[in-house]
Amino acid sequence: MEKQMKIIGFIGSPHKEGNTAWIVNKILEGAKEEGAETQSFNFSDLDIKPCQGCFACHNGDGGCVISDDMQKLYDNLKDADALVLGSPTYMGQMSAQAKIFVDRLSATNHPRFYPKFKEHAAIKLILVFDQGNPDSSLFQTYYDYTKKMFQMLEFDVKDVVVVTGMRNGPAHEREELPTAMKDIGSSLALDKIRP
């Protein structure tokens, strides 16, 4: 029996049912229709503290020493084949909520923390940004930088999705978006599973 791809979605937005949540969930819906096992986490439902820069995750064997809901996410990511990370674009970059999550991911980049991360192919990643401005190239430098950063963290970045023009109306009212987002999830689910 073929292994199901496991895809985790993380919604780095202060709005539990806003555009970012809708977009990430549509991508996961497309993946689920192709047989993937999906799960999503919303920052607003979690207690995740900022990284303290203590480097305990790199200097010891116990991993991140902060006791909060990020521990639950670490456990889920250990077995994940892919991550869909969504964030609104605030002040030309990801939200503060998404940045807290990303900073805490740095702990996974040390083999003494979660050895399983090093035993498998890189976790596939789709970065999703939504922005009010209709110009998709306006923040391209930042999006490119973010992609490079995740590649340095040894994620296999499959796509950087930018949904523009959000100040003209909510994502769920855009006729073209459901199919486009589900197609992204479908393509991710049909990609090769981590060996």
Side-chain angles (χ1 to χ4, degrees):
M1 186 174 168
E2 192 172 320
K3 180 190 168 195
Q4 272 188 306
M5 180 177 249
K6 181 177 179 182
I7 303 174
I8 302 293
F10 184 80
I11 299 158
S13 170
H15 303 289
K16 188 173 180 179
E17 297 181 6
N19 291 321
T20 305
W22 185 90
I23 291 166
V24 169
N25 285 322
K26 277 295 167 195
I27 292 172
L28 294 178
E29 187 179 326
K32 191 170 187 176
E33 288 176 0
E34 294 296 342
E37 175 191 344
T38 65
Q39 186 174 11
S40 66
F41 295 92
N42 195 312
F43 188 94
S44 63
D45 292 330
L46 302 168
D47 173 27
I48 302 178
K49 298 175 178 65
C51 175
Q52 299 301 303
C54 66
F55 290 100
C57 58
H58 288 245
N59 298 324
D61 295 325
C64 181
V65 296
I66 300 174
S67 179
D68 62 4
D69 288 337
M70 191 68 193
Q71 299 297 335
K72 176 171 43 178
L73 297 182
Y74 290 139
D75 288 341
N76 278 276
L77 281 169
K78 278 193 290 184
D79 298 318
D81 297 294
L83 169 65
V84 178
L85 172 59
S87 173
T89 303
Y90 292 155
M91 301 299 289
Q93 56 192 323
M94 69 175 65
S95 68
Q97 290 80 4
K99 185 64 166 65
I100 288 173
F101 171 75
V102 171
D103 285 351
R104 295 287 298 281
L105 283 179
S106 68
T108 66
N109 202 36
H110 197 280
R112 285 183 299 192
F113 182 9
Y114 280 131
K116 190 165 185 184
F117 274 90
K118 304 303 173 188
E119 294 170 4
H120 297 275
I123 295 177
K124 297 170 191 358
L125 173 67
I126 292 183
L127 287 167
V128 182
F129 293 98
D130 54 280
Q131 64 182 55
N133 195 288
D135 181 359
S136 62
S137 66
L138 187 62
F139 306 116
Q140 191 61 49
T141 302
Y142 176 76
Y143 299 148
D144 290 343
Y145 157 79
T146 306
K147 177 181 179 179
K148 179 81 170 170
M149 178 192 65
F150 273 102
Q151 289 170 332
M152 290 172 61
L153 286 171
E154 299 184 27
F155 283 82
D156 178 10
V157 182
K158 291 295 183 186
D159 201 357
V160 180
V161 178
V162 181
V163 180
T164 63
M166 291 291 92
R167 62 175 69 130
N168 297 326
H172 71 269
E173 292 181 0
R174 299 260 292 272
E175 290 182 10
E176 78 285 3
L177 277 185
T179 300
M181 295 302 105
K182 287 172 71 174
D183 285 349
I184 292 166
S186 173
S187 295
L188 180 62
L190 294 172
D191 203 357
K192 188 176 178 184
I193 293 174
R194 294 169 78 193

